[in-house]
Amino acid sequence: MNARKKVAFYTLGCKLNFSETSTIARSFESEGFDRVDFQEVADIYVINTCSVTENADKRFKTIVKQAQKANSKAFVAAIGCYAQLKPEALADVNGVDLVLGATEKFKITDYLNDLTKNDFGEVHSCEIEDADFYVGSYSIGDRTRAFLKVQDGCDYKCTYCTIPLARGISRSDTLNNVLKNAKEISEQNIKEIVLTGVNIGDYGKGEFGNKKHEHTFYELVQALDEVEGIERLRISSIEPNLLKNETIDFVSNSKTFVPHFHIPLQSGSNELLKLMRRRYLRELYVDRVNRIKQVMPHACIGVDVIVGFPGETDELFLETYNFLADLDISYLHVFTYSERDNTLAADMEGVVPKNVRSKRSKMLRGLSVKKRRAFYESQLGTNRTVLFEGENKEGYIHGFTENYVKVKTPWNPELVNTLHEVELCEIDDDGLVRFEFLKEFA
């Protein structure tokens, strides 16, 4: 009797990639493979790549080496965004046997014939125009939360971004399928679902293969709120111009949607927003933040921002810095601009030196620390619900409140994947919040 073959996965990049890896892994399991950790000996190593930062390219080579170290005879496959954009470059990396683009990755098991290593990486990559069908996916790895993909691709043409080239046009899962996946997740005792996609506010477009919107993001949110058995729903990243008042108001009264929004800004300068071809100006962003805080004063608001975009002078950077310093937001994700092939920004004038980009990034990361601290302080003395995670971190268990305050308490395995009412008491030396249980927990 043949021993079952083993497969291992490594995921770079965003939550969407994690949800897709998880779905692809389940397709391997149904073909009779056993999934093992990436550090272990496997017959196949699948690396799900990302194209958002320069760093992701370098990381890929390191990960291939890791796989070869674990098993030099293993079959190595590259999938994902970078595999779509630069398939030949990945195929040239020593040890890579198979590279699959955007449409092929979900059929990966069809491309595995005999798993003998190839002399050269074999490439199957479509023209990105062909990536017009939708594959639903969700991740179940961390028992406490799952990432549920509702949308893929993007029709926006931001001048710095390769995602439309890597993932194709905006298209959505059918509402029925999203609800079916959400139900499957809820039946596995997972307490929180994070909605993910490339541009989730555009949900509904391409639901039935055409450009017509059958449903809106707002209708999706309403329908998911009715799914039995889910304790929490979290909207991941949503564009400010697509986050409508009706959605904000609905979340403020929802049974399951939590008061946490992550809204990409990218720059606090209107001049740069226009160069980036973003679909709003800073005034709209202020309006969205004010609207959220008006109906949910305790809401957590995260912001994406890019530093070092071509044309970002010291004055324009300070405009962004001061704009964010004055805004009632809770934390920042700071991205240092890196040139990507086949984007308009790569040929723009006013290139910012790397050392200046790095300095600005540090300044904004420092501001983020202050913002998070101020937000946590504003929550002390309030009662919140915490969902506890599954890891023992140096004798402590961590968890998140509905509005994304990270808390800690001495490790207790009985708390894993449970929800508890607490009062937030003080901020510890490591910046996490200590609390008291409101009901006796022993």
Side-chain angles (χ1 to χ4, degrees):
M1 190 178 129
N2 289 344
R4 283 165 68 95
K5 296 240 185 283
K6 294 186 169 67
V7 61
F9 294 86
Y10 197 107
T11 306
L12 291 158
C14 62
K15 293 177 176 130
L16 183 56
N17 269 7
F18 278 93
S19 79
E20 292 183 343
T21 297
S22 211
T23 294
I24 292 164
R26 289 195 293 277
S27 76
F28 270 92
E29 284 160 13
S30 64
E31 296 275 344
F33 285 82
D34 288 330
R35 185 176 180 176
V36 296
D37 277 350
F38 201 80
Q39 289 71 32
E40 293 179 40
V41 175
D43 301 287
I44 303 185
Y45 293 90
V46 180
I47 304 166
N48 195 353
T49 62
C50 164
S51 68
V52 172
T53 62
E54 216 174 2
N55 203 13
D57 318 356
K58 298 181 187 123
R59 288 273 308 278
F60 177 75
K61 288 179 180 157
T62 314
I63 295 155
V64 173
K65 281 195 184 119
Q66 271 177 26
Q68 290 184 299
K69 200 169 147 195
N71 179 6
S72 60
K73 296 188 179 65
F75 189 89
V76 177
I79 60 172
C81 291
Y82 202 54
Q84 174 65 35
L85 289 176
K86 300 260 178 98
E88 279 75 21
L90 291 193
D92 286 346
V93 173
N94 189 21
V96 174
D97 299 295
L98 178 67
V99 179
L100 296 182
T103 61
E104 291 81 11
K105 63 189 171 191
F106 292 105
K107 306 189 289 257
I108 181 169
T109 52
D110 299 353
Y111 291 95
L112 305 172
N113 298 327
D114 54 0
L115 296 190
T116 43
K117 286 194 76 59
N118 295 326
D119 295 337
F120 304 100
E122 193 183 314
V123 173
H124 296 276
S125 170
C126 64
E127 290 303 309
I128 196 60
E129 289 72 38
D130 299 337
D132 57 0
F133 59 88
Y134 185 86
V135 178
S137 48
Y138 58 86
S139 76
I140 296 181
D142 172 356
R143 301 198 309 164
T144 50
R145 66 170 63 88
F147 299 119
L148 171 58
K149 172 180 161 186
V150 299
Q151 182 274 344
D152 201 349
C154 189
D155 292 339
Y156 287 9
K157 299 285 185 283
C158 302
T159 53
Y160 51 81
C161 186
T162 54
I163 299 264
L165 300 171
R167 282 186 170 271
I169 57 171
S170 177
R171 53 210 188 272
S172 308
D173 205 347
T174 62
L175 188 58
N176 283 343
N177 201 45
V178 173
L179 296 175
K180 179 177 89 60
N181 285 343
K183 192 86 195 102
E184 281 176 23
I185 294 168
S186 75
E187 283 162 4
Q188 304 199 34
N189 193 28
I190 287 168
K191 303 279 194 283
E192 179 174 309
I193 293 178
V194 183
L195 300 186
T196 175
V198 174
N199 186 355
I200 64 175
D202 206 22
Y203 177 80
K205 189 184 281 180
E207 189 184 343
F208 295 97
N210 52 24
K211 278 292 170 199
K212 202 162 84 226
H213 263 71
E214 295 291 333
H215 295 100
T216 60
F217 181 70
Y218 176 53
E219 287 168 339
L220 171 76
V221 165
Q222 286 176 302
L224 280 166
D225 201 46
E226 298 300 322
V227 176
E228 293 293 319
I230 301 168
E231 303 277 351
R232 281 183 176 180
L233 283 155
R234 204 178 284 278
I235 296 168
S236 61
S237 190
I238 183 164
E239 294 282 308
N241 49 307
L242 296 174
L243 178 56
K244 304 286 193 247
N245 284 348
E246 56 190 14
T247 305
I248 295 171
D249 293 347
F250 184 81
V251 169
S252 73
N253 294 307
S254 160
K255 303 191 285 277
T256 47
F257 276 91
V258 295
H260 175 205
F261 295 87
H262 193 94
I263 314 169
L265 167 69
Q266 311 312 15
S267 174
S269 146
N270 281 343
E271 191 178 320
L272 288 178
L273 287 172
K274 287 174 188 167
L275 280 176
M276 291 175 170
R277 293 203 183 157
R278 301 294 285 155
R279 298 196 174 195
Y280 53 86
L281 296 174
R282 54 187 259 164
E283 290 73 16
L284 175 89
Y285 199 92
V286 173
D287 182 69
R288 298 297 73 205
V289 169
N290 291 344
R291 178 70 183 207
I292 291 167
K293 288 291 184 174
Q294 189 186 336
V295 292
M296 290 169 273
H298 58 295
C300 178
I301 301 175
V303 182
D304 286 340
V305 59
I306 295 171
V307 296
F309 188 80
E312 187 183 59
T313 59
D314 285 345
E315 292 74 25
L316 292 182
F317 169 70
L318 282 174
E319 204 180 319
T320 293
Y321 186 93
N322 294 328
F323 177 74
L324 288 164
D326 294 340
L327 208 56
D328 192 0
I329 50 144
S330 319
Y331 64 90
L332 306 172
H333 279 173
V334 183
F335 297 89
T336 305
Y337 172 74
S338 64
E339 286 79 359
R340 314 306 285 152
D341 291 346
N342 302 318
T343 59
L344 290 173
D347 300 320
M348 285 181 180
E349 291 171 2
V351 172
V352 178
K354 293 262 167 84
N355 62 328
V356 177
R357 295 183 207 182
S358 161
K359 190 177 127 202
R360 289 176 185 170
S361 171
K362 251 190 205 125
M363 281 177 70
L364 279 183
R365 286 203 301 271
L367 178 63
S368 180
V369 170
K370 285 186 195 146
K371 284 284 184 186
R372 194 184 296 268
R373 175 98 194 178
F375 175 63
Y376 281 11
E377 282 174 354
S378 76
Q379 295 304 299
L380 296 180
T382 63
N383 295 348
R384 297 277 167 244
T385 306
V386 172
L387 173 57
F388 289 98
E389 311 261 304
E391 238 179 301
N392 182 342
K393 297 198 174 160
E394 294 168 6
Y396 287 93
I397 186 168
H398 294 165
F400 284 94
T401 63
E402 64 275 34
N403 59 344
Y404 216 56
V405 173
K406 194 171 184 182
V407 303
K408 65 186 275 197
T409 197
W411 171 254
N412 178 344
E414 287 174 30
L415 286 173
V416 172
N417 198 30
T418 61
L419 288 145
H420 291 272
E421 302 279 319
V422 304
E423 182 188 348
L424 303 180
C425 298
E426 59 178 341
I427 301 176
D428 215 345
D429 297 342
D430 58 4
L432 304 188
V433 177
R434 297 284 204 149
F435 60 87
E436 297 285 342
F437 286 104
L438 287 178
K439 298 190 181 90
E440 198 52 47
F441 179 80

